[in-house]
Amino acid sequence: HGIFDDLDLDTPTRRARVALERWRLDDPALVDASVPLHLRVEALLRAGRHVEVLAATDGHAGDDAENGVDLKLLSRRAQSLAALGKRAEAEKLAKNAAARDALANSRDVEEILAAVELGVLRMRLDAQAAGEYRTLLAALARARNEIDRLDPRIRMREAQLLADRHAMKDAAAALGEALGLCPRSADGWRLAGELAIAQFNVDGATSAAAALRRLDPMHPYAAFLDAHSNLVQDDPTAAMKALDPLIVRAEAPSMNLPETFAWKAAIEASRYDFGAMRAALDAADLMQPGVADALVICGRQLVLDRQYAEAREILSRAAQREPAWAIPPAELGLLSMQDGLEDRAVADLRAAVALDPNDERTVFTLKLAEELAGWKRIETEHFIIRHPDGDADLVAQLLAGVLDQMHTEVCARVGHEPSQKTLIDVMPDHRSFGVRITGLPRIHTIAVCTGPSIAIEIPKEGAQTKHLGLFDPLAVLRHEYTHTVTLSMTKNRIPHWLTEAVAVTLEDTPRTFDNCQMLAAAWQSDTLFDLDEINWAFIRPRKAIDRAQAYAQGRWMVEFIEQSFGWDALRKLLFSYAEGIREEEAMQRAFAIGRTEFFARFSKWAGDEVRKWGLAPTPSMRTLALKLAEGDDSAEQAMRKSAVERLDAVAAAWAGSIGQPGSERFHMRASQWPPMPMPKVQFDD
């Protein structure tokens, strides 16, 4: 259960177990002959030293083992055979009768866990083995309920099986129990970090990486999480900085981890350096030529960055290498849904569901893709509109009459036309819209552009599980189509803030007074987003107001660009992104200044605008009030009492929204606060 200190590590075997947990694969205990062979072999497997795994297990695993089958060694040998591309031999071991018997009858947790690993490998190697997933879950449930309710490894393996199939609620519950039973579980914290990243919860990923570094300051899982988190934030420079220590350590055979090169490939993909990306994939293939893990990691990053052609190439290689593995065709199907190639998506998704009918995301998306294929179509000069019968038919008919005029206006302003017709799916309700975009029915918006494809739900009042209310669909589509145009002209490489900023600008609606007040308050409190913060404010806002400020500030920044450098300079900035350069160089080309000076000039200009709006009077009302009250004790006391009452109201609002009943932390009145400056407090989700 992870309850030990270093004084407890008084035998080579105990030291070896902890070295594996900490990923200290060069620890002397892991080559000590007195340590059980399966622990020593596990260290070789993690380091990608598959030839040595086969040598160490020769004669100790399989049907020809002298003393019967050791499932722990059999599992590791089979995984190494698969990694080296010896699929037939690996499949033969994975189908060993002893492994199947252990799933149903063994009373040894170690044996059951090894048998589960062999079952997972069977599903990956044999296209006919999809039905074994339920058998594996049943075996783990039997181990947990009947053999050892306190072994954290059982729940951990359940969590991973569930997460791989996007059953996130059940996966999170299993993971919580696993970490409760063993807070030092590296596998647990790694999965916690990955689940957080899947929800764009960077703080959660950072916490998971910190937990791993408490196990070991150089834990590779922590580096992988940091690299992945930074890639999601579109910061390949920080991602490479996180990975660099592992690249340096890769010179030692014991720490030359295959996953290091997979993440290096993903980082190079995010930089649009596809030559370096392929070189990193080649390095991963040298270690594990038989598996497609590195290709999938890299392909997913390319999809995230909307580099669809390159993503299809890499994921197709993954599907060819491991034809029985469901993940590559599933990712290809989801990619084609984003890229507007629904016929291709249906074929890939059907293949993925046949290989693994338990992946919720794939099953949901296939069902919708098949429905979309039967929908009616309206084709105009520049758009293809798909819709079902009912209310969506009416919305589609109304849109068809005005979209081509919108195309003319938007493209003329931006100076670019997409090379293909844009596909617009008019979704009948919110649930189907969520599946259309993410593969899962939970998403909190009404329209999304993924490049050449746009999905929008119908404006309708009703139950929030089905409809999000009324809105102007043409105004929303004008915003989303601007994304289509700017993504096309930049080869999908435009920074998030800029595509949103141009889209809001081209809505051609006046700025509201509420937005003026919000921007003025941000400028006065020095909380305008810089060019890094504004991207993240769209994806995962920290405060309720962040996303609204990001949209309003983005538009304000485009206004600053137009006034300071001209609209043609903005077009030049947009076109330069198509070359794959980053924001610093793009701004130097377009404006002859870098990111730091751009933000400094914008902030100064913003202050001038706020003063023009009359929202930064000098002297301020507070200064005038203090001046009037100066020397009048009763007036000063009245002002102080008024301030305390306002703070009490804020505290009460906090207590009502995020505090727990009776919690002193949130219910203490402002009048009870100690007479000292209050620090800035940031609450976790």
Side-chain angles (χ1 to χ4, degrees):
H1 300 284
I3 308 301
F4 66 88
D5 59 34
D6 289 348
L7 292 177
D8 295 310
L9 307 182
D10 54 357
T11 68
T13 297
R14 288 179 170 179
R15 289 196 294 274
R17 289 184 184 279
V18 172
L20 281 173
E21 183 66 34
R22 293 175 174 174
W23 277 74
R24 292 178 179 171
L25 303 183
D26 54 355
D27 192 292
L30 292 172
V31 294
D32 191 310
S34 68
V35 170
L37 181 58
H38 72 272
L39 295 177
R40 289 179 276 145
V41 170
E42 177 66 23
L44 296 173
L45 182 67
R46 293 185 181 190
R49 298 161 67 179
H50 299 296
V51 173
E52 294 176 61
V53 170
L54 299 185
T57 57
D58 191 22
H60 294 278
D63 296 330
D64 58 345
E66 296 179 3
N67 300 313
V69 176
D70 184 328
L71 290 181
K72 297 186 290 296
L73 294 178
L74 188 73
S75 169
R76 290 157 177 81
R77 182 176 180 84
Q79 290 177 68
S80 284
L81 285 168
L84 293 173
K86 300 180 179 182
R87 296 177 60 84
E89 296 177 58
E91 188 174 347
K92 179 181 177 182
L93 292 186
K95 292 180 176 179
N96 188 287
R100 295 183 180 278
D101 180 70
L103 290 175
N105 301 310
S106 177
R107 305 295 297 177
D108 184 290
V109 171
E110 291 269 11
E111 278 195 347
I112 294 172
L113 290 171
V116 168
E117 294 304 327
L118 288 165
V120 170
L121 186 59
R122 278 197 301 277
M123 289 192 293
R124 192 159 167 172
L125 295 172
D126 182 2
Q128 307 303 316
E132 296 200 18
Y133 170 68
R134 297 295 173 185
T135 303
L136 302 184
L137 283 181
L140 290 168
R142 184 176 66 84
R144 168 167 43 88
N145 295 331
E146 300 177 13
I147 301 173
D148 190 344
R149 299 184 69 88
L150 298 178
D151 192 323
R153 297 172 299 171
I154 302 171
R155 281 305 254 163
M156 184 61 242
R157 198 61 189 89
E158 285 181 294
Q160 188 65 66
L161 277 174
L162 292 162
D164 288 345
R165 284 149 189 85
H166 298 90
M168 295 306 184
K169 183 177 180 180
D170 291 338
L175 177 59
E177 287 187 30
L179 285 172
L181 291 168
C182 184
R184 282 180 169 177
S185 170
D187 289 331
W189 287 113
R190 168 74 179 281
L191 181 57
E194 291 294 347
L195 293 180
I197 291 172
Q199 301 173 56
F200 299 101
N201 181 357
V202 172
D203 291 340
T206 300
S207 296
L212 288 164
R213 289 195 172 94
R214 286 195 290 273
L215 298 178
D216 187 271
M218 294 294 289
H219 206 294
Y221 280 2
F224 296 149
L225 282 180
D226 284 345
H228 192 182
S229 176
N230 282 300
L231 285 175
V232 167
Q233 297 175 74
D234 193 28
D235 192 347
T237 301
M240 185 59 80
K241 184 178 179 181
L243 198 65
D244 274 339
L246 292 186
I247 294 175
V248 172
R249 293 169 73 190
E251 298 174 4
S254 61
M255 289 304 296
N256 190 16
L257 308 179
E259 200 169 343
T260 300
F261 297 99
W263 286 109
K264 187 174 189 301
I267 292 168
E268 300 298 358
S270 186
R271 289 171 165 170
Y272 315 121
D273 189 342
F274 301 130
M277 174 192 77
R278 292 185 175 88
L281 288 173
D282 289 344
D285 284 350
L286 284 175
M287 302 180 71
Q288 299 189 143
V291 294
D293 299 75
L295 293 168
V296 168
I297 288 173
C298 183
R300 283 171 168 166
Q301 183 60 42
L302 288 164
V303 173
L304 182 66
D305 291 334
R306 292 178 174 153
Q307 302 303 291
Y308 295 139
E310 292 78 10
R312 184 167 286 108
E313 173 204 339
I314 297 301
L315 291 171
S316 295
R317 281 175 56 189
Q320 291 166 6
R321 181 173 297 179
E322 295 202 60
W325 192 22
I327 288 181
E331 295 293 341
L332 282 166
L334 293 164
L335 158 62
S336 294
M337 289 289 283
Q338 291 191 37
D339 204 15
L341 304 174
E342 268 70 18
D343 291 342
R344 197 163 178 173
V346 168
D348 286 326
L349 291 168
R350 283 175 177 166
V353 170
L355 294 170
D356 187 350
N358 300 290
D359 188 325
E360 291 187 9
R361 184 182 63 168
T362 312
V363 170
F364 283 140
T365 308
L366 174 60
K367 184 176 183 295
L368 179 63
E370 290 175 334
E371 289 178 7
L372 291 172
W375 282 8
K376 295 179 180 178
R377 288 174 174 247
I378 303 173
E379 192 158 350
T380 73
E381 184 179 357
H382 300 288
F383 298 91
I384 299 170
I385 308 170
R386 292 193 308 192
H387 62 88
D389 291 327
D391 293 336
D393 185 0
L394 174 61
V395 174
Q397 296 286 350
L398 291 171
L399 291 173
V402 293
L403 287 181
D404 283 332
Q405 178 61 35
M406 178 195 72
H407 161 89
T408 300
E409 294 169 1
V410 171
C411 293
R413 188 82 183 276
V414 177
H416 174 79
E417 289 193 24
S419 60
Q420 66 189 73
K421 290 187 177 182
T422 300
L423 175 67
I424 298 177
D425 285 329
V426 181
M427 311 305 296
D429 54 52
H430 184 66
R431 181 181 177 84
S432 62
F433 169 75
V435 176
R436 174 66 180 82
I437 299 305
T438 68
L440 293 170
R442 299 170 293 275
I443 185 171
H444 304 290
T445 185
I446 54 176
V448 169
C449 166
T450 58
S453 178
I454 296 172
I456 182 171
E457 64 181 79
I458 62 171
K460 188 174 181 179
E461 293 181 325
Q464 286 199 348
T465 54
K466 293 202 66 176
H467 303 288
L468 294 191
L470 299 178
F471 58 90
D472 181 348
L474 182 61
V476 172
L477 278 177
R478 187 181 184 93
H479 179 105
E480 298 302 329
Y481 186 61
T482 302
H483 288 324
T484 294
V485 177
T486 56
L487 287 167
S488 172
M489 71 191 297
T490 62
K491 294 184 179 179
N492 296 337
R493 295 168 182 176
I494 184 172
H496 194 151
W497 78 266
L498 187 55
T499 188
E500 295 292 357
V502 176
V504 175
T505 300
L506 267 60
E507 289 175 14
D508 285 337
T509 55
R511 182 182 289 112
T512 66
F513 182 61
D514 284 345
N515 278 352
C516 289
Q517 289 182 304
M518 175 175 61
L519 292 171
W523 174 78
Q524 289 167 336
S525 61
D526 196 26
T527 55
L528 288 173
F529 298 125
D530 64 26
L531 292 175
D532 293 320
E533 294 167 338
I534 192 170
N535 285 318
W536 204 239
F538 286 110
I539 300 169
R540 190 172 178 85
R542 295 181 181 277
K543 303 188 299 294
I545 199 174
D546 280 1
R547 187 175 280 123
Q549 180 184 324
Y551 279 110
Q553 183 182 323
R555 174 183 176 174
W556 213 19
M557 291 162 82
V558 168
E559 188 177 330
F560 161 70
I561 291 171
E562 187 172 9
Q563 289 189 19
S564 302
F565 308 103
W567 191 258
D568 286 342
L570 177 63
R571 287 176 175 158
K572 183 177 180 180
L573 177 70
L574 292 170
F575 279 115
S576 67
Y577 284 117
E579 300 176 31
I581 63 176
R582 307 302 295 184
E583 193 164 59
E584 177 69 23
E585 184 179 350
M587 284 191 167
Q588 289 285 357
R589 287 190 189 184
F591 309 144
I593 59 174
R595 297 169 83 244
T596 302
E597 187 174 351
F598 174 88
F599 184 70
R601 288 195 192 182
F602 164 69
S603 298
K604 182 178 182 302
W605 174 88
D608 294 338
E609 291 296 296
V610 170
R611 284 185 280 271
K612 289 178 184 176
W613 296 343
L615 295 179
T618 304
S620 68
M621 293 296 291
R622 181 176 182 277
T623 300
L624 290 173
L626 289 171
K627 186 70 174 176
L628 288 171
E630 188 176 342
D632 186 335
D633 291 342
S634 61
E636 289 182 0
Q637 289 175 3
M639 289 180 63
R640 189 174 295 107
K641 180 180 178 183
S642 175
V644 167
E645 288 173 351
R646 288 197 300 272
L647 289 171
D648 277 340
V650 171
W654 281 2
S657 60
I658 59 178
Q660 297 297 320
S663 168
E664 292 183 2
R665 178 183 180 191
F666 295 113
H667 287 77
M668 184 170 67
R669 296 180 61 81
S671 54
Q672 297 172 292
W673 290 352
M676 62 179 67
M678 289 297 292
K680 289 184 178 179
V681 178
Q682 177 177 312
F683 296 98
D684 294 328
D685 289 346

